[in-house]
Each structure stands twice: as structure tokens, then as C-alpha cells.
Amino acid sequence: MSPDLNRPEIVAELTAMSDRYEKALGDNDIPELDALFYHGPETVRYGVGETLYGFDEIAAFRRQRAGGSPPRDMLRRHVTAIGKDTGTVDLEFRRHGGERIGRQSQTWIRTPSGWKIIAAHVSLMANIS
């Protein structure tokens, strides 16, 4: 049996959620960023310089981060819907004024209160000379 991948309506929902996340990140809208993450100990976020387990650690990190995330441009995005209640969003970005390519992966789940991120990973590629 093949997996139920990329129903157009689910891909559209996940793309809209990714857009919502990118706007909140760019605006440093902490309440919105909190709303987009699953509020439980299962949630994980690996950042460029931090490893965060559980929603509480993620929320505390956002509140301690002066000025929010550096501004960036999205270079490429890949959305995969897995069934109707799970999906991944992977994107490449470049921070304004930077040369390095960043990568972000998110796993989204549908909950009774809507789509939430349950796992996220952000990294910067090494400089290649």
C-alpha cells in the first residue's frame, strides 16, 4: 500500500501555515510563534545554537532572544503532506547581508486547535572556500 501523499488541499493548508510562521518570525510576534507550536513536552526545536525540548523551553528561548530572528529571504520551500493530519515543511533561506545558506525543517500535526509544529530544526551550512 502506498502512502497517501500530497493531497492538494492539505499541501495548501501547510503552505499557508508556513507563510503564517514566516510572517510571525519576521515580525518577532512571540504570541503568534507560541500559538504555532504544539504545547507539550513532545515538542522539540534544534536551532543554530540551541537545543530545546518541550514547549516551555522553546517559549522561554523566544522571550530571552533579543530582537528575534535575523531577517531572511526564503530561497526554496518543499511541502509534503502525509495523509490529512501530518506534514513537513522544509526550506532554504539566506539571512540579510549573509552568505551562508540556512535550512529549516518543520513537522506539523493537525490538532483539535489546528495545525501545530511538533518538531523543528534550523541550521546554517558551512562556508565553502
Side-chain angles (χ1 to χ4, degrees):
M1 173 184 238
S2 63
D4 181 14
L5 297 177
N6 295 331
R7 290 183 188 183
E9 69 276 14
I10 306 303
V11 170
E13 289 178 23
L14 289 165
T15 300
M17 294 307 297
S18 175
D19 289 343
R20 187 172 153 189
Y21 176 85
E22 288 299 309
K23 179 174 181 355
L25 188 67
D27 293 345
N28 196 31
D29 184 342
I30 292 173
E32 176 73 347
L33 290 166
D34 285 350
L36 293 172
F37 275 79
Y38 182 72
H39 288 218
E42 303 84 359
T43 307
V44 176
R45 181 183 178 277
Y46 296 152
V48 173
E50 65 283 345
T51 302
L52 307 168
Y53 290 95
F55 174 80
D56 292 340
E57 286 185 17
I58 296 166
F61 165 77
R62 293 222 185 272
R63 280 158 182 73
Q64 294 168 5
R65 187 177 193 181
S69 180
R72 67 189 196 178
D73 294 313
M74 186 186 320
L75 304 175
R76 183 175 181 179
R77 176 170 52 190
H78 185 81
V79 178
T80 303
I82 307 163
K84 63 181 184 60
D85 297 322
T86 307
T88 61
V89 177
D90 299 283
L91 60 85
E92 293 178 39
F93 63 88
R94 181 177 290 118
R95 290 177 172 168
H96 292 183
E99 296 297 322
R100 296 170 71 185
I101 300 295
R103 297 173 292 184
Q104 174 180 287
S105 297
Q106 298 172 330
T107 302
W108 292 78
I109 58 171
R110 188 190 304 272
T111 72
S113 59
W115 286 102
K116 303 292 179 187
I117 299 165
I118 196 160
H121 186 157
V122 182
S123 61
L124 295 173
M125 294 182 69
N127 284 332
I128 299 175
S129 310

